[in-house]
Amino acid sequence: MIVDCAIYRDGERTETPQDFSDALAEARARGNSFLWIGLYEPTEHEFSLVTDEFGLHPLAVEDALTAHQRPKLEVYDDSLFVVLKPVTYEPKSDTVTSGELMIFIGDSFVVTVRHGTPSPLGDIRRHLEEQHDLLKHGPTGVLYSISDAIVDSYLEVATELQNDLEELEAEVFSPIGGSSRHTASRIYGFKRQILEFRRATVPLALPTTKLAGTGPYGGTTVPFVHEEARPFFRDVNDHLQRVNESVEGLDRLVSDVLSAHLAQMSVRQNDDMRKISAWAAMAAVPTMIAGIYGMNFDHMPELHWIWSYPAVIAIMAVLEMVLYRLFKRRGWM
């Protein structure tokens, strides 16, 4: 469905058009205006109205309708197609939730298509309408504002994940917390959250590099994006690099935490096996002696000795004490 639709002239919201074709023609005729249409999970029929008016490429339209896309930037004859993945952090469940935001940039128009719950798009539009400087730059200003807001939200999510990882580390390396049978599942669940986060941030590095015109794309231009906007997109790219470095660090650390937890469990199991073996060895000695004297042979001289029973008990006690001190000295008990 269409969430919002407006014409912006010199950074000011002027009107809500009834006919997309007339509104776009008017914006192009004035030269200092553009049309911004926002849609939320549109049906094929709803989006076909926009597609016909703006001449959007069929492949990009298919991606916008089906969603489940990686962040990317694609250039077509009449438009620029950008896919972003907004991410939010749920503190109650300690989970990362991602949505999808598709942006079509063209000559005097912006079309945004949103899928899923997480999206700062409404707040971005309201912020731009209150501060008109970026809106004066047309579709380029809208693209920059959306990209900047989403990447800044990545930094906040990365901070929350870092706090969660510190709590997880404290649990794993606590004297009793690391032995919980639920600890491994928590570590694996946290790694899944990082993977969900990586799917949003890592693929976005190439589109922001193209928009910033850095690296191998220093001599190339992106259609429908002003050259003067490159420094602003470089700032977005720098922030994204910080996020990706943080994500890589989190991924390595959680792998190390999982390895440490498994090593701790292995050490504890070895300790338990040594204790069990020590007690079994101590129980074997009196069992062996009692077994010998329980064979009921007639020609066993000790059977008829008056001190046989106390002597055997004393021998058992001495052997038990010797074994106990030996195992204790070696740390098995």
Side-chain angles (χ1 to χ4, degrees), residues 230-245:
R230 283 190 170 186
F232 297 94
F233 284 109
R234 279 200 292 270
D235 181 66
V236 174
N237 190 38
D238 290 341
H239 289 177
L240 182 64
Q241 288 181 359
R242 287 173 51 194
V243 172
N244 285 333
E245 289 173 359

Side-chain angles (χ1 to χ4, degrees), residues 174-237:
S174 65
I176 59 175
S179 61
S180 173
R181 61 180 180 179
H182 301 296
T183 303
S185 62
R186 281 197 60 195
I187 297 174
Y188 181 75
F190 185 78
K191 195 171 182 64
R192 291 289 301 176
Q193 302 307 314
I194 294 177
L195 178 60
E196 182 71 18
F197 194 31
R198 283 172 58 95
R199 289 173 179 166
T201 63
V202 174
L204 187 57
L206 183 58
T208 56
T209 301
K210 289 182 179 179
L211 291 170
T214 57
Y217 305 100
T220 61
T221 59
V222 179
F224 309 107
V225 177
H226 298 315
E227 291 278 341
E228 295 81 4
R230 283 190 170 186
F232 297 94
F233 284 109
R234 279 200 292 270
D235 181 66
V236 174
N237 190 38

Side-chain angles (χ1 to χ4, degrees), residues 73-112:
L73 183 150
E74 294 179 348
V75 178
Y76 297 100
D77 293 336
D78 298 324
S79 63
L80 179 71
F81 181 56
V82 181
V83 178
L84 303 172
K85 292 182 75 69
V87 172
T88 57
Y89 175 82
E90 298 292 339
K92 293 183 179 180
S93 57
D94 294 336
T95 57
V96 173
T97 306
S98 64
E100 290 189 40
L101 181 60
M102 288 79 170
I103 308 171
F104 293 88
I105 302 291
D107 182 15
S108 302
F109 73 85
V110 178
V111 178
T112 54

Side-chain angles (χ1 to χ4, degrees), residues 135-163:
L135 277 177
K136 290 181 179 179
H137 295 85
T140 301
V142 175
L143 178 61
Y144 162 72
S145 298
I146 295 175
S147 303
D148 185 56
I150 289 178
V151 172
D152 285 345
S153 69
Y154 290 165
L155 291 170
E156 297 174 2
V157 173
T159 301
E160 295 290 345
L161 289 175
Q162 180 65 45
N163 294 335

